[in-house]
Amino acid sequence: VQLVESGGGLVGPGGSLKLSCVYSGFGRSHFPMIWVRQAPEKGLEWVAGITNGGGSEGYSDSVKGRFAISRENTKNTVYLRMNSLRPEDSAVYYCARPRTTDSALTGQKLEILHRGQGTQVTVSS
């Protein structure tokens, strides 16, 4: 199993970025997927999740209304569109496969089965 994130970088406050995550090794199956992030000296924070078919999404309160998660199963890719970025959004962003759909959509009782290497997002003027 492999998950590879890309799209991070340096952006000014109020700017936008779109992260991508290409996954492989799951065969023909698709699973709920999430984005999590980790800022320096902080724990892992659930950001957003999406069901295996893409029909439902969930967001943390800190990003709701600014971020959008989506997926293209034909390309084995999950995206995170981030708008109105703030300095506090700076972190390493990881895509991951959680154990359950409920945890993907709520971030509750989150158990991560697989995670990528991450991509750095820095929001600074």
Side-chain angles (χ1 to χ4, degrees):
V1 173
Q2 191 173 23
L3 298 89
V4 180
E5 302 94 337
S6 62
L10 173 64
V11 64
S16 297
L17 282 174
K18 186 175 183 178
L19 307 183
S20 299
C21 168
V22 179
Y23 55 86
S24 59
F26 293 149
R28 295 183 177 183
S29 299
H30 300 282
F31 299 93
M33 297 291 287
I34 62 174
W35 287 94
V36 294
R37 66 187 181 186
Q38 188 164 25
E41 301 182 0
K42 291 190 176 180
L44 208 61
E45 177 190 9
W46 170 79
V47 173
I50 189 166
T51 52
N52 60 334
S56 294
E57 306 153 23
Y59 299 92
S60 69
D61 288 343
S62 61
V63 308
K64 196 173 296 181
R66 300 188 297 122
F67 290 12
I69 188 171
S70 61
R71 66 190 302 163
E72 287 188 82
N73 285 349
T74 56
K75 296 182 179 180
N76 284 4
T77 303
V78 180
Y79 304 98
L80 185 68
R81 177 68 178 178
M82 306 185 295
N83 296 324
S84 302
L85 282 161
R86 305 166 179 169
E88 55 264 39
D89 293 317
S90 297
V92 178
Y93 283 72
Y94 303 91
C95 73
R97 177 192 164 188
R99 181 174 291 280
T100 68
T101 298
D102 282 349
S103 67
L105 297 181
T106 64
Q108 298 299 311
K109 299 181 181 178
L110 188 61
E111 180 183 352
I112 291 175
L113 298 179
H114 308 284
R115 193 178 79 175
Q117 85 292 344
T119 186
Q120 176 71 49
V121 171
T122 302
V123 185
S124 175
S125 55

